[in-house]
Amino acid sequence: MPLDVATLFAMSANDEEPVDVRVRRRLRELRTEQGLTLQQVAERAHLDVSTLSRLEAGKRRLALDHLPGLAAALGVTADELISDRPPFDPRVHSEPRSQDGLTLWPLTNRASHGGQHAFKVLIDPRRATPPDPLPVHDGYDWMYVMHGRMRLCLGDDDLVIEPGEAVEFSTLTPHWFGAIDGPVELLALFGPHGQREHLHS
C-alpha cells in the first residue's frame, strides 16, 4: 500500500498548512493558471477524472505515487508541487537551446491553454535543405517572421515567408522550415510534440 503524503510529511515546514493540503491547493492553482480542465490533467497524469476531482477536493487520500504523474501533467517537478508557492516572478529565465540549425529561446514558463509554448527562434543559414520525408507529428504551429526569408515546405507546397508574414498550420501535414539566403528570426508557438520534434528532447 503506498504511503500517503499526510503521513510521510506530518511535520511541514509551514505549520499553518499541512503538506497534503498545500499539494491540493497547488494542483488547483497550477491547473487554473494553465487553463486546463480536470479531464485534460487527468488524461496527462493517466488518472480517472473522478479520481483527480476527489484528490483536489480532499475526498481521496493523496498518495506519494500520485505526485510524479500529476507534476508531469502540470509541467512542474514533484518538489515544486510539494513546496510552498514562491513569490511570483513574471520573468522567464529559461536558457536557449539549439539543435539542427535552430536556436529556441523560451518566452513562456508554462504552457498556455492547449499546451503551447512561445519561442523566439533563430534559423541558421545552413539549415537550407529539407529532409526526405518531411516530418509529421501531432499539434499545431504558428510562426511570425521578423527578419530574414523563411522557406516553408508544407505538404506539396514550397513557400517563401517574408518578414511581417505569419503562418499557421496543422503539423499532421508533412512540413519543414529553414533559411533561404541568410539567418531568419521569428516568433513561434509550438505544442509539446513540436518542441520535441525541433529539439529532439
Side-chain angles (χ1 to χ4, degrees), residues 38-39 79 103 148 156 159:
L38 283 166
Q39 181 70 43
D79 285 344
T103 301
D156 295 328
L159 307 170

Side-chain angles (χ1 to χ4, degrees), residues 58 97 128 157:
R97 298 176 61 190
D157 296 323

Side-chain angles (χ1 to χ4, degrees), residues 17 23 32 63 65 77 81 83 86 94 99 107 117 119 152 166 189:
E17 185 178 42
V23 171
T32 302
D65 58 359
T77 66
L81 198 56
S83 63
S94 300
Q99 182 78 33
L107 301 179
H117 276 281
F119 294 90
L152 174 64
L189 293 176

Side-chain angles (χ1 to χ4, degrees), residues 7-157:
T7 300
L8 189 63
F9 300 105
M11 297 300 294
S12 172
N14 181 352
D15 293 331
E16 297 179 358
E17 185 178 42
V19 173
D20 62 326
V21 174
R22 182 186 307 156
V23 171
R24 297 179 203 281
R25 173 175 61 80
R26 294 285 286 136
L27 279 174
R28 288 189 296 271
E29 288 174 349
L30 291 167
R31 184 173 62 78
T32 302
E33 284 174 7
Q34 298 178 42
L36 298 172
T37 64
L38 283 166
Q39 181 70 43
Q40 288 170 316
V41 175
E43 288 176 358
R44 294 180 184 183
H46 307 291
L47 293 172
D48 291 332
V49 66
S50 59
T51 298
L52 179 59
S53 178
R54 291 198 299 273
L55 287 173
E56 275 198 8
K59 295 179 181 179
R60 175 166 178 161
R61 178 171 291 181
L62 186 63
L64 261 184
D65 58 359
H66 289 135
L67 295 181
L70 290 170
L74 294 165
V76 298
T77 66
D79 285 344
E80 289 176 298
L81 198 56
I82 293 170
S83 63
D84 200 9
R85 186 188 183 108
F88 178 70
D89 184 349
R91 292 168 292 190
V92 179
H93 298 286
S94 300
E95 294 295 321
R97 298 176 61 190
S98 298
Q99 182 78 33
D100 290 344
L102 298 176
T103 301
L104 280 71
W105 286 264
L107 301 179
T108 46
N109 282 316
R110 293 198 180 95
S112 64
H113 181 63
Q116 289 191 313
H117 276 281
F119 294 90
K120 174 185 171 182
V121 182
L122 180 65
I123 307 176
D124 188 282
R126 291 169 293 184
R127 183 181 166 97
T129 304
D132 185 16
L134 299 178
V136 175
H137 56 84
D138 289 333
Y140 200 82
D141 281 0
W142 175 92
M143 302 178 200
Y144 173 79
V145 176
M146 296 186 293
H147 302 288
R149 300 169 73 231
M150 182 178 79
R151 180 182 179 187
L152 174 64
C153 298
L154 189 62
D156 295 328
D157 296 323

